[in-house]
């Protein structure tokens, strides 16, 4: 599906440029996009290095195992395929906690560690596993309790009560995340058999 | 309320920064070595994401800067006005899954034009807060471990974004109108 979205964006961009008779826009836009992507990755380096260092301390101190044990019921419901004491569980749960508190920067390294651990359980390293899809569902549905960035922007624009959107945001996120978890379950049952193997 | 929330978010990282190493020291973990050992993985991970992110962001940039996005927005506008969804926030919802900074730019412009405490300002904030950059997350997470077949993950993320958008609109209409 991602292939289609990719080709759709590029093809419609080129057609739009053709209609305006200005193909140079495409070249410029493509190079801008590439430049921006590398800039994002460079920005990610410092965040990844810092948080992965902190995460390792937490892991060596046994904090991740503690967190995983604490949230075991949630984890067992969301990730039935992952063994309970697997290191992936601690990373998944710290990724979820970081997302909930709006620490977007910290959530990415933890999510990547979780993916890495889940990949070790994956029989086919090129194809996503059910647990990976669930982790993505949680991350792409915008799971947040305190939308810190948005509150900051509202403060910047002189809002009288910048936090009054917390309530509606939590409600809307709850709707989106619930739907994501349900849909994830639905597609998982259609795509995988009971042993986590691809059907057909 | 503002003070409490901003205090919590300000204190979060400093307290993590102190509490984790402190606890680890008590458990006799060589904290500095641990930190360096973990931090080493940061650079290669960031570098391994580059090709995936360049691929995705080139497409997003072409789609946006050539005016293709604007065309689809115009094309869809009758549908949104029929649903009574304000056109001002539609670009946020449409752009959010593909580009976080792109949709944020529209949030900023809504706040500049109508004010952060207007209905549109609050709606824009709620939409931005309850949805996520699905395409970016998918690219980075799957790219980092080399997954090629993402199966249904994208579909689920996009449906969740649509749900977050519509839920924001309904909830804000009930609460702020």
């Amino acid at each position: 599906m991602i292939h289609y979205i990719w080709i759709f964006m590029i093809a419609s961009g080129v057609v739009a440029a053709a209609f305006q008779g200005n193909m140079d826009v495409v070249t410029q836009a493509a190079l801008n996009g590439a430049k921006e992507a590398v800039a994002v990755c460079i920005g990610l380096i410092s965040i990844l290095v810092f948080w992965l260092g902190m995460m390792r301390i937490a892991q060596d101190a046994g904090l991740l195992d503690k967190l995983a044990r604490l949230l075991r019921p949630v984890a067992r419901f969301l990730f039935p395929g992952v063994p309970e004491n697997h290191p992936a569980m601690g990373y998944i749960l710290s990724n979820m906690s970081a997302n909930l508190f709006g620490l977007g920067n910290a959530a990415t390294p933890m999510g990547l560690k979780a993916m890495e651990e889940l990949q070790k359980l994956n029989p086919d390293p090129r194809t996503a596993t059910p647990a990976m899809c669930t982790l993505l569902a949680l991350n792409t549905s915008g799971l947040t309790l305190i939308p810190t960035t948005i509150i900051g922007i509202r403060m910047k624009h002189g809002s009288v009560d910048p936090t009054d959107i917390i309530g509606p945001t939590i409600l809307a996120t709850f709707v989106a995340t619930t739907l994501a978890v349900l849909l994830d379950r639905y597609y998982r049952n259609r795509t995988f058999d009971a042993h986590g193997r691809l059907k057909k | 309320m503002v003070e409490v929330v901003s205090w919590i978010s300000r204190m979060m990282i400093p307290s993590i920064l102190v509490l984790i190493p402190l606890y680890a020291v008590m458990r006799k973990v060589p904290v500095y070595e641990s930190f360096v050992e973990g931090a080493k993985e940061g650079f290669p991970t960031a570098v391994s994401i580059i090709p995936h992110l360049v691929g995705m962001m080139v497409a997003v940039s072409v789609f946006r800067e050539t005016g293709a996005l604007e065309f689809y927005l115009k094309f869809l506008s009758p549908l949104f006005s029929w649903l009574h969804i304000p056109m001002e926030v539609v670009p946020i919802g449409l752009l959010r899954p593909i580009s976080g900074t792109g949709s944020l730019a529209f949030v900023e412009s809504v706040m500049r034009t109508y004010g952060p405490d207007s209905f549109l300002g609050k709606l824009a904030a709620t939409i931005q807060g309850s949805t996520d950059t699905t395409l970016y997350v998918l690219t980075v997470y799957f790219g980092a471990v080399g997954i090629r077949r993402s199966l249904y993950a994208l579909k689920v993320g996009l449906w969740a974004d649509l749900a977050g958008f519509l839920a924001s609109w309904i909830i804000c209409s009930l609460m702020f109108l």
Side-chain angles (χ1 to χ4, degrees):
Chain A
M1 185 180 180
I2 203 153
H3 314 278
Y4 298 119
I5 292 192
W6 199 67
I7 198 73
F8 167 79
M9 287 196 288
I10 292 182
S12 44
V14 171
V15 171
F19 267 105
Q20 296 158 19
N22 187 4
M23 269 303 169
D24 294 345
V25 182
V26 178
T27 318
Q28 200 52 50
L31 294 176
N32 282 348
K35 202 198 257 173
E36 201 189 327
V38 175
V40 168
C41 286
I42 300 287
L44 260 181
I45 292 176
S46 55
I47 294 159
L48 282 171
V49 169
F50 170 68
W51 281 109
L52 289 178
M54 291 302 290
M55 286 286 289
R56 181 62 67 91
I57 299 179
Q59 189 193 11
D60 289 349
L63 279 169
L64 291 185
D65 295 339
K66 271 219 168 99
L67 184 66
R69 229 170 296 142
L70 201 71
L71 294 167
R72 187 175 285 173
V74 186
R76 198 183 292 169
F77 168 72
L78 287 173
F79 299 93
V82 180
E84 265 181 32
N85 293 318
H86 196 273
M89 225 61 241
Y91 290 122
I92 289 173
L93 293 166
S94 33
N95 166 259
M96 284 170 67
S97 323
N99 270 324
L100 282 175
F101 290 109
L103 301 175
N105 278 346
T108 308
M110 294 169 189
L112 291 182
K113 283 301 277 187
M115 286 300 285
E116 226 172 75
E117 290 296 332
L118 290 176
Q119 183 70 315
K120 289 180 189 163
L121 295 168
N122 190 355
D124 171 11
R126 288 173 160 231
T127 306
T129 62
M132 287 176 173
C133 290
T134 308
L135 180 65
L136 264 288
L138 290 172
N139 272 283
T140 55
S141 62
L143 189 80
T144 325
L145 283 185
I146 308 170
T148 30
T149 321
I150 292 295
I151 294 172
I153 290 173
R154 297 192 73 213
M155 282 177 175
K156 196 179 92 188
H157 286 275
S159 169
V160 188
D161 185 4
T163 54
D164 66 352
I165 46 97
I166 290 183
T169 304
I170 290 177
L171 272 176
T173 305
F174 179 75
V175 171
T177 305
T178 308
L179 183 86
V181 169
L182 291 175
L183 274 179
D184 175 66
R185 243 340 125 86
Y186 170 73
Y187 285 120
R188 180 200 293 182
N189 292 337
R190 269 186 25 173
T191 315
F192 293 97
D193 64 17
H195 308 286
R197 280 190 288 262
L198 278 172
K199 280 183 182 170
K200 291 184 279 202
Chain B
M1 185 66 186
V2 188
E3 287 78 22
V4 175
V5 172
S6 65
W7 186 80
I8 291 176
S9 49
R10 259 206 319 275
M11 288 308 290
M12 197 75 83
I13 288 173
S15 44
I16 291 174
L17 198 55
V18 174
L19 294 178
I20 292 179
L22 215 61
Y23 179 81
V25 166
M26 291 193 302
R27 297 285 305 270
K28 300 212 165 34
V29 172
V31 279
Y32 187 70
E33 277 91 337
S34 270
F35 180 87
V36 171
E37 209 46 53
K40 263 184 202 163
E41 295 173 16
F43 191 77
T45 307
V47 171
S48 71
I49 297 168
I50 290 180
H52 301 272
L53 213 55
V54 168
M56 193 45 69
M57 289 178 84
V58 163
V60 169
S61 173
V62 168
F63 185 61
R64 237 169 61 192
E65 289 181 33
T66 52
L69 171 72
E70 226 167 299
F71 168 79
Y72 289 111
L73 274 174
K74 274 208 196 95
F75 180 74
L76 287 172
S77 71
L79 175 71
F80 290 107
S81 61
W82 181 68
L83 287 170
H84 297 285
I85 296 177
M87 258 335 264
E88 291 85 349
V89 298
V90 170
I92 301 169
L94 212 60
L95 212 53
R96 185 67 168 122
I98 56 176
S99 157
T101 43
S103 59
L104 205 56
F106 279 99
V107 174
E108 291 255 22
S109 87
V110 167
M111 295 214 184
R112 250 197 320 275
T113 318
Y114 302 96
D117 295 320
S118 64
F119 171 69
L120 286 176
K122 288 178 183 177
L123 177 57
T126 308
I127 293 170
Q128 180 82 8
S130 63
T131 47
D132 215 320
T133 39
T134 299
L135 232 57
Y136 169 82
V137 174
L138 206 85
T139 307
V140 168
Y141 279 40
F142 280 152
V145 291
I147 295 285
R148 299 272 178 83
R149 289 180 67 197
S150 56
L151 302 176
Y152 49 86
L154 180 61
K155 238 184 316 192
V156 171
L158 292 178
W159 279 116
D161 288 329
L162 181 64
F165 178 82
L166 292 176
S168 299
W169 170 59
I170 293 168
I171 292 163
C172 283
S173 298
L174 293 175
M175 285 182 72
F176 299 125
L177 264 187

